[in-house]
Amino acid sequence: MSDLLQRLRERGWRLTAQRRVVAEVLAGDHIHLTADEVHARATERLPEISRATVYNTLGELVSLGELLEVSTDHRATRYDPNARRPHHHLLCDRCGTIRDVHPTGDALSALPESERFGYTVSGVELTYRGICPNCAA
Amino acid sequence: MSDLLQRLRERGWRLTAQRRVVAEVLAGDHIHLTADEVHARATERLPEISRATVYNTLGELVSLGELLEVSTDHRATRYDPNARRPHHHLLCDRCGTIRDVHPTGDALSALPESERFGYTVSGVELTYRGICPNCAA
DNA sequence: GCCTTGACTTAGACCTTGTCCAATGTAGGC
DNA sequence: GCCTACATTGGACAAGGTCTAAGTCAAGGC
Ligand SMILES: [Mn+2]
Ligand SMILES: [Mn+2]
Ligand SMILES: [Zn+2]
Ligand SMILES: [Zn+2]
């Protein structure tokens, strides 16, 4: 997290209070917040931060490869700070909670040449769906 | 496609010109149109069809299990008439073209118990990403 | 330390996607 | 052919997201 700020400074980022707060809000495991959720949490620490700045900062972090965009549902995009270790997602259909998961094997190799239609395939995303223990109870 | 209309009539659907045109627009393989694309194509055949009716009809077809919603990008939902044969998607990152694909193996069994976090896992979606032959040229 | 400047932030207008509603039209049973 | 419950319509509305012009400020140079 201050690792992150360090990397960003090295890439010429100005260290503003707003950017610092957004970075802080995104710290942690299994974090997949929407832009408005990030804004709400950032506002607790820095009341005057604007929605536009949150969107700007999230967009920049995505461009820099420090954040991933995840669109699991048909609602708002979620932002995933776990961009350094490849992983997939397990989503609760009832409450929307998302966990990072690491399936075995390589999903890419499961797509035979005959099913590639001449595409150059570079990646694959898996989204598992189910019901979380909390919602099951 | 008239199969579809047949099934729908059996389920109590009124056969209106609007619904017929939406069903026609959705016919074919590897079709993954947005609601506005469906509306645009439907308008060519039936100029007075409204956006609300297109949304209504698409929503009903989804409820009836005749259409799938696909959200591969972070933009508009796409509607997939290939609801009868399970499949996954291969997406061109440049132009957005989507193909239906059928990978080998079972992605569900690739998620070990230790990575399920107590969830009851019921399904998995795969999205392959790459560049289509058209965009590569 | 202070100045300078280009990068950053801000409020709010605006756009796109999608939902909702009251008024109007019509498919299909009789 | 009539009736009526179901379908369609235009437009208002809402959420998520983008853009802009004006003001602010981090940080390098002195
Ligand atoms: Mn994640
Ligand atoms: Mn498909
Ligand atoms: Zn849940
Ligand atoms: Zn392409």
Side-chain angles (χ1 to χ4, degrees):
Chain A
M1 207 271 297
S2 81
D3 277 355
L4 170 60
L5 294 179
Q6 187 56 41
R7 286 199 300 281
L8 295 174
R9 178 147 36 190
E10 282 162 12
R11 299 208 224 179
W13 251 36
R14 284 204 188 161
L15 250 292
T16 66
Q18 290 85 347
R19 286 172 167 179
R20 218 182 293 264
V21 165
V22 169
E24 282 170 21
V25 163
L26 290 170
D29 286 332
H30 303 285
I31 298 292
H32 304 90
L33 299 172
T34 65
D36 274 349
E37 285 165 356
V38 171
H39 183 233
R41 297 191 187 192
T43 298
E44 293 169 9
R45 301 175 188 220
L46 189 66
E48 69 274 24
I49 190 171
S50 76
R51 233 165 121 266
T53 293
V54 169
Y55 274 104
N56 287 343
T57 305
L58 293 173
E60 288 155 8
L61 289 170
V62 170
S63 298
L64 291 171
E66 298 285 352
L67 256 195
L68 299 176
E69 290 183 305
V70 180
S71 55
T72 46
D73 52 18
H74 304 266
R75 317 290 308 274
T77 299
R78 295 185 171 271
Y79 293 88
D80 186 344
N82 184 5
R84 324 197 73 195
R85 182 171 177 210
H87 66 279
H88 298 286
H89 291 113
L90 169 54
L91 167 66
C92 176
D93 278 326
R94 205 158 300 165
C95 69
T97 303
I98 303 175
R99 311 280 322 215
D100 290 346
V101 293
H102 301 86
T104 60
D106 173 21
L108 257 192
S109 63
L111 191 67
E113 193 55 37
S114 63
E115 285 285 308
R116 297 194 177 200
F117 299 101
Y119 281 54
T120 305
V121 181
S122 55
V124 58
E125 292 159 20
L126 279 83
T127 305
Y128 292 92
R129 296 180 165 275
I131 305 294
C132 77
N134 213 26
C135 286
Chain B
M1 205 271 299
S2 81
D3 277 356
L4 170 60
L5 293 179
Q6 187 56 40
R7 285 199 301 280
L8 294 174
R9 179 147 36 189
E10 283 163 11
R11 300 208 224 175
W13 250 37
R14 281 198 192 168
L15 250 294
T16 65
Q18 291 84 346
R19 287 170 168 182
R20 218 181 294 264
V21 165
V22 169
E24 282 170 21
V25 163
L26 289 169
D29 287 331
H30 304 284
I31 298 292
H32 304 91
L33 299 172
T34 65
D36 274 350
E37 285 166 356
V38 171
H39 183 234
R41 297 191 185 192
T43 298
E44 291 169 10
R45 302 176 186 221
L46 189 66
E48 69 274 24
I49 190 173
S50 76
R51 239 166 51 86
T53 294
V54 169
Y55 274 103
N56 287 342
T57 305
L58 293 173
E60 289 155 7
L61 289 170
V62 169
S63 298
L64 292 170
E66 299 285 351
L67 258 194
L68 299 175
E69 292 183 305
V70 180
S71 54
T72 47
D73 54 15
H74 305 265
R75 316 290 310 272
T77 299
R78 295 183 171 274
Y79 293 87
D80 185 344
N82 184 4
R84 324 197 74 194
R85 183 170 177 211
H87 66 279
H88 297 285
H89 292 114
L90 169 54
L91 167 66
C92 177
D93 278 325
R94 204 160 297 167
C95 69
T97 304
I98 302 175
R99 311 277 326 213
D100 290 347
V101 294
H102 302 85
T104 60
D106 173 21
L108 257 192
S109 63
L111 191 67
E113 193 56 36
S114 63
E115 286 283 307
R116 298 196 176 200
F117 300 99
Y119 280 54
T120 306
V121 181
S122 56
V124 58
E125 291 158 21
L126 280 82
T127 306
Y128 292 92
R129 296 179 165 276
I131 305 293
C132 77
N134 213 27
C135 286

